[in-house]
Amino acid sequence: MTLTLTVSDEVHSLVPGFTPLAVEAHGLVNGPSNEASSALLDDAARRLAVRLDGRSPHEDPHMAAWRAAYTAFGSKPNRTRNSAEALARRALADGGLPRINLLVDLYNAISVARLIPVGGEDTDRIRGAMRLVRATGDEPFHTVAGGEPAVEHPDAGEVVWRDDEGVTCRRWNWRQGVRTRLTEESVNAVFLLESLAPTTGAELDAAGTELAESLEKLSPGARITVRPAATLRRTVSR
């Protein structure tokens, strides 16, 4: 069954230029990071360095647009950076990018190389539809604090991804929750690629295609569907 994804009119009104793309995959193979996934991350860091040409990640026009979007819903972008900027900073640092597992390494590589926020969710752990909304502040967000499981709540008005059970990602694409994250046992997933102007639709589509092709190489026989923004629903409901 195709997962229902919606973006509320509240979010579109806040940031009119927002364009999402989803890649839905079934029958994936995951496992621990290996030499191949590590090579993808190293190559992504090289591609990033070429793109930036000596600039800091926040000076890229796409990252500047995301900083403006975060400011629009009351978040401080120097403290809570969008996922692409945060990964880019790590890619350029001495420690480099983290190695998590095959699927996470793969989508992190796409995010860094193209400076587009990308997230992955285990669709077997999602409850109901996924929607991008402005939070009431009462929604549960399952995370880890001090090494122990914890439940937090978003700020009222914060932009979040959520399902019927609670928040899956806080501050748009800043921090993913533990409940729906991709683990080594994940076989079905949805990957969300998110862009703002000046990134073009063609650039977003190219990133989605690259991700789909990489997933096919990792998991031959997997059923992979690229769902552009026009196929995702808009709604005024929470």
Side-chain angles (χ1 to χ4, degrees), residues 5-237:
L5 295 159
T6 61
V7 178
S8 73
D9 280 349
E10 285 185 315
V11 173
H12 277 298
S13 296
L14 183 73
V15 185
F18 172 61
T19 304
L21 180 148
V23 177
E24 196 164 352
H26 300 271
L28 293 168
V29 175
N30 200 9
S33 301
N34 59 21
E35 289 185 6
S37 70
S38 184
L40 284 175
L41 291 169
D42 289 341
D43 181 62
R46 287 190 289 269
R47 291 167 64 184
L48 172 69
V50 170
R51 173 180 176 135
L52 292 176
D53 191 24
R55 295 174 299 164
S56 296
H58 71 269
E59 295 177 284
D60 181 88
H62 193 208
M63 296 298 93
W66 274 106
R67 283 182 163 235
Y70 271 48
T71 300
F73 67 82
S75 183
K76 296 180 179 179
N78 280 330
R79 293 181 60 187
T80 54
R81 296 179 174 88
N82 76 81
S83 62
E85 182 182 335
L87 279 174
R89 287 168 60 89
R90 294 190 70 171
L92 298 173
D94 290 340
L97 288 164
R99 275 56 173 168
I100 308 297
N101 59 54
L102 295 178
L103 289 176
V104 175
D105 291 354
L106 192 155
Y107 78 71
N108 278 350
I110 301 295
S111 178
V112 167
R114 294 184 176 270
L115 269 186
I116 291 176
V118 183
E121 305 282 356
D122 187 324
T123 51
D124 292 327
R125 297 173 181 268
I126 294 170
R127 301 294 174 255
M130 283 191 67
R131 53 260 195 206
L132 187 67
V133 301
R134 301 197 71 177
T136 64
D138 298 325
E139 303 91 339
F141 174 71
H142 293 269
T143 186
V144 174
E148 297 294 329
V151 177
E152 300 176 351
H153 299 276
D155 299 327
E158 182 181 320
V159 176
V160 299
W161 279 101
R162 65 158 301 168
D163 64 3
D164 290 351
E165 195 167 309
V167 173
T168 58
C169 194
R170 284 197 61 188
R171 293 189 180 135
W172 213 317
N173 48 44
W174 166 64
R175 177 181 292 173
Q176 186 179 34
V178 299
R179 177 170 58 88
T180 59
R181 68 185 176 184
L182 295 176
T183 68
E184 293 180 16
E185 289 72 42
S186 298
V187 294
N188 302 309
V190 62
F191 302 88
L192 297 168
L193 295 79
E194 303 177 297
S195 72
L196 300 170
T199 294
T200 65
E203 289 172 316
L204 181 62
D205 290 344
T209 297
E210 183 178 358
L211 175 58
E213 290 174 348
S214 296
L215 290 170
E216 289 170 352
K217 290 178 182 178
L218 174 67
S219 305
R223 292 181 289 112
I224 300 169
T225 305
V226 178
R227 300 170 59 189
T231 68
L232 308 185
R233 299 180 185 177
R234 289 182 64 163
T235 179
V236 296
S237 65

